[in-house]
Amino acid sequence: MKLIIHGGFFSESGTNQEVKKAKQEALATIAEAGYTFLKTHTALQTAVFAVSLLEDCDLFNAGLGSQIQSDGKIRLSAALMDGKTERFAGVINIEDVKNPIQVAEKLLPLQDRVLSGTGAKDFAREHDFPYFNPQTPQRKMEYEQKLQNSVRLGTVGCVALDDYGNLAAATSTGGKGFEIPCRVSDSATVAGNYANNFAAVSCTGVGEDIVSSALAAKIVTRVTDGFKLNDACEKTLNELSTYDGFAGIIGIKSTGEIYHADTHPYMVWASYDEVLEVFS
Ligand code: ASP
């Protein structure tokens, strides 16, 4: 039984120790809560649970406190993949909901499993997800200052392995911030979030780079074909260097092997495996 969560990258890591500490503390609390939950729930249920807690924490760029797109609107993307059934579900650029990962969960048993924009919002309302404005004063201020260069702040993700050997991955994001309206993030694609019976991977970083490399799906495929998780992650991440790609990952293998990308010093993550570890 194992669980890893990540809080994405954040630009203040090197300069703002207070924010860094707050994120580490939040990750520690959520990793611990997730691990306790995993004792009595499946990997899939736990991935949704942990990502919902991360979405509710305004320190991260997912759910509450998400980045604002260039037209002033917040659009959220989230995806979930069940390693056991190899079903993927997601919402892309959904507006006015609190927990997009839970809308993705609602889509998982259906035939039509990835919805975007107003279709996703209509689906959410039909399934009793109430109106919620995820904007915080902090994000509004950043938007108003047009901090075009503010680094992608804190997408969130979780990969979990339960007692029955099932794997799951969940990822949620508010996107890059100041992007062209309706730009599609990697997070609700198989490049950013993927799981099967062999491995589960959640990514963060530059969505376009992650999509170009089909990062999560490629790593899981390599593990399925016999690679060690560490080798699959390292090889695939190295391939990003051909176009100067920027990404971080968390991964878990059915054997319990874990991978946490220390590919960038500003990525925050925490794992729980009887003992809590928090890093950035
Ligand atoms: N991957 C996300 C995106 O490009 C951003 C992030 O991970 O921080 O939308």
Side-chain angles (χ1 to χ4, degrees):
M1 216 172 68
K2 277 182 190 182
L3 171 117
I4 318 178
I5 56 175
H6 74 78
F9 293 97
F10 61 107
S11 55
E12 317 95 314
S13 180
T15 51
N16 191 334
Q17 292 308 308
E18 230 171 85
V19 174
K20 181 175 177 174
K21 195 161 172 282
K23 291 196 180 199
Q24 286 173 328
E25 281 170 7
L27 283 172
T29 306
I30 293 170
E32 202 160 355
Y35 191 76
T36 304
F37 191 86
L38 184 57
K39 288 180 180 163
T40 52
H41 295 82
T42 65
L44 186 71
Q45 291 165 331
T46 304
V48 174
F49 175 79
V51 167
S52 297
L53 293 180
L54 289 160
E55 287 175 340
D56 291 343
C57 177
D58 67 1
L59 291 167
F60 302 109
N61 175 28
L64 180 68
S66 285
Q67 297 263 25
I68 303 172
Q69 297 191 344
S70 59
D71 62 350
K73 291 193 174 149
I74 293 178
R75 296 183 182 85
L76 309 171
S77 297
L80 174 67
M81 187 151 181
D82 181 7
K84 190 176 173 186
T85 57
E86 296 190 31
R87 283 172 91 94
F88 178 98
V91 287
I92 296 172
N93 285 321
I94 188 171
E95 289 178 46
D96 303 330
V97 294
K98 184 164 176 280
N99 293 108
I101 195 66
Q102 293 175 14
V103 184
E105 182 185 31
K106 197 54 105 180
L107 284 162
L108 199 62
L110 305 185
Q111 275 193 344
D112 301 339
R113 292 196 285 278
V114 182
L115 298 181
S116 69
T118 51
K121 186 162 94 172
D122 292 348
F123 174 86
R125 294 288 179 269
E126 278 160 27
H127 290 84
D128 301 326
F129 290 89
Y131 171 87
F132 181 81
N133 180 359
Q135 185 173 289
T136 59
Q138 172 69 20
R139 295 291 186 242
K140 181 74 176 162
M141 191 185 75
E142 289 166 4
Y143 175 74
E144 277 166 359
Q145 291 171 347
K146 297 206 185 308
L147 296 177
Q148 302 283 356
N149 295 323
S150 92
V151 175
R152 297 140 271 278
L153 299 169
T155 288
V156 302
C158 174
V159 290
L161 170 67
D162 66 27
D163 253 348
Y164 305 98
N166 300 315
L167 291 158
T171 308
S172 183
T173 190
K176 291 206 281 202
F178 306 105
E179 62 269 71
I180 296 173
C182 300
R183 170 246 179 202
V184 174
S185 156
D186 62 291
S187 304
T189 72
V190 295
N193 187 81
Y194 201 79
N196 66 9
N197 276 322
F198 293 85
V201 170
S202 167
C203 303
T204 180
V206 178
E208 287 71 9
D209 297 343
I210 294 168
V211 166
S212 295
S213 69
L215 195 58
K218 197 186 281 177
I219 291 168
V220 171
T221 303
R222 284 186 162 143
V223 173
T224 305
D225 290 344
F227 272 67
K228 285 187 175 151
L229 179 65
N230 189 71
D231 295 346
C233 291
E234 295 290 328
K235 183 174 171 59
T236 314
L237 283 170
N238 281 340
E239 289 166 356
L240 292 178
S241 62
T242 53
Y243 50 89
D244 207 19
F246 179 81
I249 48 182
I250 52 172
I252 194 161
K253 201 179 163 187
S254 53
T255 51
E257 190 189 343
I258 63 166
Y259 185 87
H260 39 80
D262 293 327
T263 48
H264 194 285
Y266 297 168
M267 182 179 172
V268 280
W269 60 273
S271 73
Y272 210 109
D273 169 16
E274 299 301 344
V275 180
L276 173 69
E277 285 186 278
V278 185
F279 291 96
S280 66

